Amino acid sequence: MSLLKAKLEHTLPPIIDEIRAFVKEKAASEVSKVTLAQAYGGLRGVKGLVCDTSEVPPDKGLVIRGIELKNLTDKIPEEIFWLLLTGDLPNDEELADLQKEYKAREDVPGYVWDVLDAMPADSHPMAMFNTAILVMQKESEFMKAYNSGIQKADYWKPTLEDSLNILAKLPAIGAYVYRKRFGKGERIDTDKSLDWGANYTHMLGIPDDSGDFARLMRLYLTLHCDHEGGNVSAYSASTINSALSDLYYSLCGGLNGLAGPLHGLANQECLGWVLETMKQFNGAPTPEELEKFAWDTLNSGKVIPGYGHAVLRVTDPRFDAFLAFGKEYMPDDPVFQTVSRVFDVVPNVLRQVKKIKDPWPNVDAGSGALLYHYGMKEFSYYTVLFSVSRAMGICAQAIITRAYGLPIIRPKSLPTAKYKELCGA
Ligand code: CMX
């Protein structure tokens, strides 16, 4: 048995008992009210979901199991997955065991490559990536166990198996999507001696003699791992999961939401916006030029990608971490310098637009420039990197939800006429 499963078998039962007792005792306590504006406003701020893997306080940004992200940027993604799931960072033995589990499960079924090869050459990388996940659904251990009559209390166990099986394969799948979609040549085999992030870098095939690109990839995969339960990808995935659809269905569904330009696709849009400013002004623009460009974007009815957030009200700590990386590894890169200058200018512009609640950069504002620096210039691929990372949070949330035995998600909708009645209109 993996050490991760053994640890969860030991730690989950008392947590589950405590939650059951707490909910029983306080069942009638009110935790949120919903106004009409919220009902018609994407339920912003309405509390009614449970997520124990991470939280996003508006004034802090991502906190994973009580630890602020800024204190986790030196951790590798495997450590983060362990933390999301168990609430603790792994010791050396536990980390090595998780890495061994990934290695044992990383071979991708041949039919996945065939399906990807058969997709139209101009498919979006996210469509390819998500298709590869969905096409593996027949491998689901949860589905097999469910069909064999597994007890509800054990649902989390095959969900953990599905998680490990999927996470182990995502770097190879993601790397092949990159090589296939952008004509980079043959698929590169996995290197069993490398960790999850470095192996992904290796299979992408981008030259990295210094190891700095692998360093960035590990950071990237760590920073994008989870963002509590209410964002589009997490919420979509957990809704699908709550129907006892297995993780191949629910992860794919969640990541389809990540492919939207207001969510994860913003990182592709963001670098495009930065490069557009450089094209228009023949190089790194001055602050005045950037300010004008920002106003032109807003006045043409478009959003400034990489800025604003539904929950955050401060600079995203994930952006801070990327900015720090850029300052250390590529301070003279003109694209990075432009990103840095955009950060000096755009919040002041957005602050002047009354309706915008958060003028600060989010995770997507800076990451593209760093990838671009190392030669990954295909913007439409960037959300796949985000997905490989976010799969950790979605899987961890699914395992925990199954362990808690939470029911199918089914909030109530009403027609407008009923809301009018309710509001006395
Ligand atoms: N540029 C221009 N307008 C913006 C804006 C931005 N960066 N951020 C918010 N606004 C606008 C909204 O479009 C909205 O306008 P309308 O009322 O006309 O529709 C208004 O300001 C109020 O929005 P808000 O309450 O501040 O923000 P929301 O919670 O509705 O939306 C988000 C949040 C992220 C979708 C929005 O800030 C946005 O579109 N940002 C740009 C896209 C982006 O970077 N997305 C990535 C987010 C991180 C992630 O999920 O990956």
Side-chain angles (χ1 to χ4, degrees):
M1 187 195 299
S2 70
L3 291 183
L4 183 55
K5 187 172 177 200
K7 170 142 182 151
L8 290 170
E9 280 201 336
H10 178 67
T11 55
L12 280 172
I15 297 173
I16 295 164
D17 287 348
E18 197 215 311
I19 290 175
R20 292 217 174 112
F22 159 63
V23 175
K24 197 170 168 202
E25 188 194 341
K26 300 284 179 189
S29 303
E30 185 178 289
V31 292
S32 207
K33 281 187 177 162
V34 186
T35 64
L36 188 65
Q38 287 171 309
Y40 281 80
L43 294 178
R44 207 71 84 255
V46 176
K47 297 184 216 69
L49 302 171
V50 178
C51 175
D52 281 343
T53 54
S54 71
E55 191 192 350
V56 183
D59 61 342
K60 271 202 196 103
L62 181 60
V63 177
I64 302 175
R65 295 286 192 169
I67 308 176
E68 283 189 49
L69 186 71
K70 65 181 180 202
N71 299 320
L72 289 169
T73 52
D74 61 336
K75 302 295 172 216
I76 62 171
E78 294 93 314
E79 294 176 281
I80 295 291
F81 182 58
W82 187 287
L83 174 66
L84 285 165
L85 206 42
T86 67
D88 296 319
L89 283 161
N91 61 30
D92 291 348
E93 190 197 354
E94 290 168 335
L95 175 60
D97 191 71
L98 177 59
Q99 291 179 318
K100 199 180 83 199
E101 286 294 326
Y102 279 174
K103 290 290 165 207
R105 299 159 187 260
E106 70 186 4
D107 290 340
V108 177
Y111 63 79
V112 173
W113 310 134
D114 296 341
V115 168
L116 290 176
D117 288 345
M119 289 184 75
D122 59 351
S123 299
H124 193 282
M126 279 300 287
M128 297 174 76
F129 187 70
N130 291 348
T131 299
I133 294 172
L134 189 60
V135 82
M136 292 191 295
Q137 187 277 332
K138 74 186 195 67
E139 313 292 340
S140 172
E141 295 297 325
F142 177 80
M143 183 257 307
K144 288 175 205 158
Y146 185 80
N147 289 342
S148 312
I150 189 177
Q151 293 295 302
K152 188 175 175 187
D154 289 332
Y155 282 175
W156 68 269
K157 293 175 186 168
T159 306
L160 172 65
E161 293 303 313
D162 281 351
S163 298
L164 293 172
N165 285 336
I166 293 172
L167 289 171
K169 293 174 181 62
L170 291 186
I173 292 172
Y176 186 59
V177 167
Y178 180 69
R179 297 189 64 75
K180 169 83 194 156
R181 176 63 180 75
F182 300 107
K184 302 286 178 184
E186 293 294 294
R187 185 160 50 81
I188 298 174
D189 274 340
T190 168
D191 179 338
K192 300 257 180 212
S193 71
L194 296 174
D195 60 78
W196 200 63
N199 194 26
Y200 188 6
T201 315
H202 155 75
M203 290 184 284
L204 285 165
I206 293 175
D208 182 33
D209 291 343
S210 65
D212 290 348
F213 184 46
R215 222 161 266 132
L216 172 64
M217 285 286 287
R218 287 195 199 94
L219 178 69
Y220 193 106
L221 295 170
T222 288
L223 296 184
H224 289 79
C225 62
D226 199 34
H227 221 224
E228 67 173 41
N231 64 77
V232 166
S233 47
Y235 184 47
S236 309
S238 60
T239 303
I240 298 169
N241 201 55
S242 78
L244 296 186
S245 299
D246 60 61
L247 257 174
Y248 294 84
Y249 286 123
S250 61
L251 175 62
C252 177
L255 297 181
N256 286 335
L258 197 72
L262 295 187
H263 193 14
L265 207 77
N267 60 5
Q268 125 174 16
E269 311 256 311
C270 195
L271 183 59
W273 191 87
V274 167
L275 294 179
E276 192 56 38
T277 67
M278 296 181 71
K279 195 167 141 204
Q280 180 150 336
F281 300 110
N282 292 318
T286 64
E288 294 71 30
E289 288 168 336
L290 271 179
E291 189 173 335
K292 180 181 173 325
F293 196 85
W295 278 116
D296 288 349
T297 302
L298 293 174
N299 292 335
S300 67
K302 294 189 196 133
V303 296
I304 298 184
Y307 281 76
H309 200 270
V311 173
L312 281 172
R313 295 297 175 259
V314 289
T315 296
D316 192 327
R318 300 172 297 179
F319 175 80
D320 283 334
F322 282 134
L323 198 68
F325 187 96
K327 282 184 178 155
E328 184 173 349
Y329 288 95
M330 60 195 77
D332 301 326
D333 180 302
V335 181
F336 171 70
Q337 284 177 341
T338 305
V339 164
S340 187
R341 203 168 286 169
V342 169
F343 177 42
D344 293 335
V345 171
V346 163
N348 290 330
V349 171
L350 295 181
R351 261 200 293 249
Q352 295 172 54
V353 184
K354 218 172 152 200
K355 67 177 181 178
I356 298 178
K357 296 188 193 68
D358 174 42
W360 302 109
N362 60 54
V363 65
D364 296 324
S367 54
L370 309 187
L371 298 169
Y372 196 79
H373 175 83
Y374 291 112
M376 182 179 269
K377 300 198 167 178
E378 297 81 6
F379 311 165
S380 62
Y381 183 72
Y382 295 170
T383 311
V384 173
L385 296 174
F386 194 154
S387 302
V388 173
S389 173
R390 184 52 61 90
M392 290 190 284
I394 290 176
C395 288
Q397 291 191 27
I399 295 161
I400 287 171
T401 306
R402 292 261 159 92
Y404 291 179
L406 300 186
I408 189 164
I409 293 176
R410 181 54 168 96
K412 180 81 184 106
S413 66
L414 291 175
T416 297
K418 282 272 165 58
Y419 277 115
K420 284 186 174 166
E421 259 175 62
L422 271 177
C423 300

